[in-house]
Each structure stands twice: as structure tokens, then as C-alpha cells.
């Protein structure tokens, strides 16, 4: 099956533009300020808390809902200071360095949080009652040096390999449950003129090689400690080489098609929707937010979810979503009120109001008003059994989805060897790790 892509599909771009327009509208309507033009909120009879966060993140409907609910309940106010989306991390770090630390701060629970000296600056929530309510696949992201330093309050997703159930059925392909079965399914698709996997390798990040590492790191948490201590390299992890080898072999076999090096994310809906490719490494909420079911033969519900197989874990794996944390300045004047806000957010009655109707995997065990994806509902037992917390991206200092993807693209193109690819990715990690030590 050969399909010529004649024009760029723009549905995803329109969706992104709408999100940005919504964020701008919310920023104009809320008591939000971007640094350089601060509008200070005031509370006649209560406390006013200062909140820093990426402006787009603050504009999320569930964030605005929970803030509004707490303000109404407590009589306090939150001065939302939206940081420029493209420079949020840099702006916040500059403020923190000069001692300008807000009462509340929103940040993803990844290794970059180390820059903000979490143990010195943020409240330790390890003994909070709500910790036991956090999903097991999410809790590790809220943990820093074995301490729960923030409340995960965000959209989540189930990442895996999405496959066209109709094409699989037509070709008599059973859902793979092992690496060998997955490779065999790819071979069958190729024999029938269907590209097995759409890999937007030109953009680098969609290669998503962290999916291959999560099960390895779950089994060997000591790898993370040794990598971050400079006592280990990626070359010392056999599965890292196995992953690179699989990508190279898959590319050589044609699993990603002939044009993977120039394929971009913009075409994803079109390639899946026309049936040019049968599978995609992705997250389930994408089918609700970005996939264009109206324009093509195959709609979102025609896709199922199965584990990702990338040469490192025979039974495959799913990855839980990366989530933002609400962090409290433990040295601030308003730590009591700020802590009250976080405890309010963690109350099932309140977060269920905030996430009512939102397409997301549940972050909390008692979260019931969210909307699960059709893909998750269709293969719930498998996802629940094999899902792992995101480990590589949030925990390995210097892990870089973009730069690692670029190195793997060079490998798949035949420009470098497996050993050179492993070293290239590791050198980039080490450079970042050493910058933290300075």
C-alpha cells in the first residue's frame, strides 16, 4: 500500500493555536501577571498567595477550577503570575536564585527540579494522608530523595503502542504479547504493503526512547543513582545497547517506512487515518485532543493500545503520564495558607470537581469524574498490569528526549554505529550532569 502525502495536515496545528489563544484569553481574564508587568491581587480579609507557573499551565481549566473553589471556600486569594511559556524555567530559576521564591510553584517532577534545591525550599509531604491516594505510576514523580515534595495535580495519560485494530483484524494479526510476536506482526504488515510504525524521526522527540528504559530502571533503580553520581555510563547498561540495536534493525527492515528520516509529527493523523501506517508510539489522550477522526477512513476508536516493544522488555511496557507538581515554599510567610491550598486540592470532592469531564488518566485513586480513553478502556487489564512510572525522563539527570532522538536518527540512517550512538547519548547526559555540579 503506497500513499502519497500531498499536503501538510494542519488539525494539530489548529488545536495548538486554539490552546495558545485560550491561554492568552485566560491570562487576560485572571489575576495573572507575566514578569515585567505584575498585577498584584488583593484580599480584603484574607491572605494573598503568590503562585509562579508556566502561563499555559496555569490556564488549564482544571487549574482555574481548583483555584476558584479554594478562593471561594477560604476567602483567600492567589496571585497567579504566569511565566512566559518559552522561558518559564529560566525566569523562575533566576527569581529563585535571587531569593524571590513564591508561596506556590508549579513544576514538572523531573531532574531539572534539582536546580531549585527542593529539600531546602519545598515542604515535605511524605506524611500527608493524601499520599496513599496517588496512583502508583504517578507517585515516583512527586518524590525527590525519597521525600514527597509536591502534589501531582495534572493531566495524565497512558503511553503505549497504538495499533489499527481493523487492519490487524483484516490481516489476521493477534495483538502481540512478546517482542518476538511484535516483530512478527511488523513483518506481516510489511508483506501486505502496510508500513508497520509511523515514527516522526525528523522531529527527534517522537522516537520516545524513554519507553524502552522505564522497565529496566524499575528493575534496577540503582542504575539511576549510579548514573547521577557519575559512577556509571549508558554503555554499562546492556539493555541500552539492546534498545539501540532494535531501532537500527527495525529501520533496516523497513518497520518505520522508507522516509522516517524526513517524517514529522504534523503528518501523524494523516498517516494513521489513511492506513498508510498501522502503529504509533504515543499517549492515549492524543486521540481525544489531536487526532482528526473527521477527515479520514479510520477514526480514533479504530485504534487500540498494546505494550511498547523496543528490544529491552520481552512482555513490553506502558508508561504513565508526566505530571506537574504543586510545590509549597516552606520558608515563606504564608506556608500555612499555602499548605491549606494543597490539602484542599488533594481532597477527592474537590479534585473530582476540577477534573469533571477532563480527558485524562486518573492521577488519584479516588478520581472518578475524569474521562478515560477508549483505548485504555479496551485493554485496561493489560495496561494496569504492565504500566510503569516514567523513570528515565524525570529521574536521570541530563536525560534528553530530543538529543537522544537525534542520535538514534543518525544510527538508523547508518551514519554512526550502535556503540557510537550509545556514547553520543551518554556524552550529552554527562555534560548536563557536570553542569549541575558547577
Amino acid at each position: 500500500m503506497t500513499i502519497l502525502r500531498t499536503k501538510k495536515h494542519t488539525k494539530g496545528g489548529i488545536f495548538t493555536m486554539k490552546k495558545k489563544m485560550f491561554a492568552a484569553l485566560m491570562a487576560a481574564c485572571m489575576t495573572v501577571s507575566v514578569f515585567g508587568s505584575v498585577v498584584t491581587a488583593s484580599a480584603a480579609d484574607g491572605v494573598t498567595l503568590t503562585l509562579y507557573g508556566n502561563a499555559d499551565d496555569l490556564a488549564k481549566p482544571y487549574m482555574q477550577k481548583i483555584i476558584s473553589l479554594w478562593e471561594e471556600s477560604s476567602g483567600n486569594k492567589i496571585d497567579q503570575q504566569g511565566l512566559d511559556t518559552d522561558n518559564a524555567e529560566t525566569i523562575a530559576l533566576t527569581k529563585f536564585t535571587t531569593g524571590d521564591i513564591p508561596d506556590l510553584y508549579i513544576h514538572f517532577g523531573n531532574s531539572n527540579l534539582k536546580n531549585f534545591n527542593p529539600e531546602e525550599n519545598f515542604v515535605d509531604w511524605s506524611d500527608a494522608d493524601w499520599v496513599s491516594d496517588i496512583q502508583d505510576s504517578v507517585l515516583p514523580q512527586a518524590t525527590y530523595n525519597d521525600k514527597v515534595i509536591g502534589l501531582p495535580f495534572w493531566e495524565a495519560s497512558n503511553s503505549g503502542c497504538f495499533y489499527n485494530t481493523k487492519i490487524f483484524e483484516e490481516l489476521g494479526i493477534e495483538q502481540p504479547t512478546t517482542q518476538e510476536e511484535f516483530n512478527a506482526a511488523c513483518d506481516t504488515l510489511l508483506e501486505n504493503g502496510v508500513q508497520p510504525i509511523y515514527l516522526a524521526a525528523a522531529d527527534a522527540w517522537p522516537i520516545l526512547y524513554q519507553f524502552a528504559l522505564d522497565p529496566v530502571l524499575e528493575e534496577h533503580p540503582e542504575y539511576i543513582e549510579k548514573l547521577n553520581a557519575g559512577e556509571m555510563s549508558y554503555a554499562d547498561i546492556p539493555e541500552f545497547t539492546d534498545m539501540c540495536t532494535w531501532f537500527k534493525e527495525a529501520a533496516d527492515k523497513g518497520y518505520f517506512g522508507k522516509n522516517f528520516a524526513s517524517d514529522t509529527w504534523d503528518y501523524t493523523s494523516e498517516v494513521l487515518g489513511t492506513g498508510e501506517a498501522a502503529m504509533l508510539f504515543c499517549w492515549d489522550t492524543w486521540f481525544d485532543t489531536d487526532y482528526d477522526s473527521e477527515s479520514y477512513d479510520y477514526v480514533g476508536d479504530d485504534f487500540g493500545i498494546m505494550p511498547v516493544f523496543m528490544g529491552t522488555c520481552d512482555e513490553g511496557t506502558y508508561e504513565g503520564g508526566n505530571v506537574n507538581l504543586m510545590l509549597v515554599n516552606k520558608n515563606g510567610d504564608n506556608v500555612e495558607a499555602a499548605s491549606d491550598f494543597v490539602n484542599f486540592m488533594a481532597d477527592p470532592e474537590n479534585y473530582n470537581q476540577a477534573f469533571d469531564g477532563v480527558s485524562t488518566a486518573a492521577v488519584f485513586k479516588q478520581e472518578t469524574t475524569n474521562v478515560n480513553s477508549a483505548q485504555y478502556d479496551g485493554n485496561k487489564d493489560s495496561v494496569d498490569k504492565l504500566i510503569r512510572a516514567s523513570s528515565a525522563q524525570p529521574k536521570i539527570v541530563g536525560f534528553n528526549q530530543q538529543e537522544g532522538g537525534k542520535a538514534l536518527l543518525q544510527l538508523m540512517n547508518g551514519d554512526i554505529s550502535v556503540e557510537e550512538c550509545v556514547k553520543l547519548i551518554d556524552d550529552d547526559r554527562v555534560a548536563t550532569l557536570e553542569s549541575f555540579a558547577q
Side-chain angles (χ1 to χ4, degrees):
M1 180 183 298
T2 302
I3 296 176
L4 180 64
R5 282 173 245 149
T6 57
K7 68 175 182 177
K8 182 175 179 180
H9 177 61
T10 59
K11 177 76 172 184
I14 293 174
F15 176 78
T16 301
M17 182 173 67
K18 286 182 178 178
K19 288 200 299 183
K20 291 182 177 181
M21 291 173 64
F22 176 75
L25 177 61
M26 291 301 298
C29 296
M30 301 181 303
T31 55
V32 175
S33 60
V34 176
F35 287 117
S37 179
V38 177
V39 179
T40 304
S42 62
D45 301 311
V47 175
T48 296
L49 303 179
T50 302
L51 167 63
Y52 289 176
N54 180 312
D56 284 354
D57 293 347
L58 285 176
K60 296 286 186 179
Y62 49 85
M63 291 301 301
Q64 290 308 301
K65 181 65 174 178
I66 199 69
I67 289 172
S68 176
L69 288 171
W70 183 75
E71 289 182 336
E72 292 172 6
S73 172
S74 68
N76 296 324
K77 297 292 182 182
I78 294 182
D79 175 15
Q80 303 172 54
Q81 300 197 16
L83 288 71
D84 177 69
T85 299
D86 295 330
N87 301 294
E89 181 98 4
T90 302
I91 295 172
L93 186 57
T94 299
K95 293 290 182 178
F96 271 70
T97 301
T98 60
D100 184 5
I101 301 176
D103 299 305
L104 298 160
Y105 180 50
I106 297 175
H107 193 287
F108 279 98
N110 56 32
S111 59
N112 287 338
L113 194 57
K114 183 176 181 179
N115 282 322
F116 295 89
N117 199 358
E119 292 177 305
E120 294 296 324
N121 289 326
F122 302 130
V123 169
D124 176 6
W125 294 99
S126 302
D127 296 327
D129 291 339
W130 47 256
V131 170
S132 62
D133 188 36
I134 300 172
Q135 296 282 6
D136 295 340
S137 62
V138 174
L139 184 57
Q141 296 185 60
T143 305
Y144 185 89
N145 286 350
D146 298 323
K147 296 179 180 179
V148 179
I149 57 164
L151 175 73
F153 196 90
W154 199 241
E155 299 155 279
S157 58
N158 302 298
S159 293
C161 180
F162 294 87
Y163 68 103
N164 189 313
T165 57
K166 288 189 174 181
I167 291 178
F168 270 50
E169 183 178 350
E170 289 169 4
L171 298 179
I173 304 173
E174 296 290 333
Q175 180 190 307
T177 58
T178 67
Q179 181 73 58
E180 182 179 1
E181 291 176 359
F182 179 77
N183 291 346
C186 291
D187 292 337
T188 300
L189 289 164
L190 276 176
E191 291 167 4
N192 287 275
V194 180
Q195 179 178 319
I197 305 165
Y198 185 66
L199 192 72
D203 290 330
W205 67 263
I207 293 175
L208 298 169
Y209 71 102
Q210 62 266 35
F211 292 174
L213 303 178
D214 288 336
V216 178
L217 298 175
E218 180 179 80
E219 184 176 353
H220 298 283
E222 71 276 10
Y223 287 175
I224 298 174
E225 297 176 9
K226 290 181 178 180
L227 287 168
N228 291 344
E231 300 171 355
M232 189 180 213
S233 71
Y234 284 151
D236 298 321
I237 302 175
E239 293 90 347
F240 203 98
T241 295
D242 292 342
M243 173 198 69
C244 293
T245 300
W246 180 82
F247 270 106
K248 175 58 176 169
E249 291 179 350
D252 289 346
K253 291 178 181 178
Y255 288 178
F256 309 131
K258 296 180 180 179
N259 302 313
F260 65 85
S262 59
D263 283 339
T264 65
W265 189 255
D266 292 329
Y267 283 110
T268 304
S269 277
E270 179 180 336
V271 175
L272 293 185
T274 58
E276 178 181 350
M279 292 184 284
L280 172 75
F281 302 135
C282 191
W283 53 98
D284 59 355
T285 54
W286 180 82
F287 283 90
D288 290 320
T289 59
D290 287 63
Y291 183 71
D292 186 1
S293 289
E294 298 177 0
S295 298
Y296 302 110
D297 296 331
Y298 297 105
V299 300
D301 287 350
D302 290 332
F303 293 87
I305 186 173
M306 66 178 172
V308 168
F309 298 96
M310 289 182 176
T312 63
C313 180
D314 190 57
E315 63 181 356
T317 186
Y318 302 94
E319 185 187 67
N322 292 304
V323 297
N324 256 325
L325 308 177
M326 184 63 74
L327 305 154
V328 173
N329 175 6
K330 71 177 183 180
N331 304 308
D333 295 334
N334 300 314
V335 63
E336 183 175 349
S339 296
D340 176 73
F341 173 57
V342 169
N343 286 323
F344 182 92
M345 297 174 73
D347 186 302
E349 180 179 350
N350 300 327
Y351 65 62
N352 273 310
Q353 288 189 64
F355 284 101
D356 187 17
V358 176
S359 178
T360 175
V363 170
F364 302 99
K365 295 176 181 177
Q366 298 181 69
E367 191 172 337
T368 59
T369 57
N370 61 299
V371 179
N372 286 321
S373 70
Q375 290 76 26
Y376 171 75
D377 285 340
N379 205 11
K380 181 179 184 298
D381 290 344
S382 174
V383 176
D384 290 347
K385 176 185 176 183
L386 299 176
I387 195 166
R388 271 92 171 187
S390 176
S391 298
Q393 183 154 310
K395 292 190 174 183
I396 296 177
V397 177
F399 180 89
N400 193 310
Q401 181 175 329
Q402 182 75 11
E403 294 305 314
K406 290 178 180 178
L408 285 166
L409 176 55
Q410 292 185 59
L411 170 66
M412 290 186 285
N413 275 333
D415 299 330
I416 57 177
S417 67
V418 167
E419 293 75 18
E420 290 171 327
C421 181
V422 173
K423 186 177 186 304
L424 188 59
I425 299 175
D426 197 54
D427 285 348
D428 181 71
R429 176 191 67 84
V430 171
T432 302
L433 180 63
E434 291 177 346
S435 72
F436 274 102
Q438 295 176 357

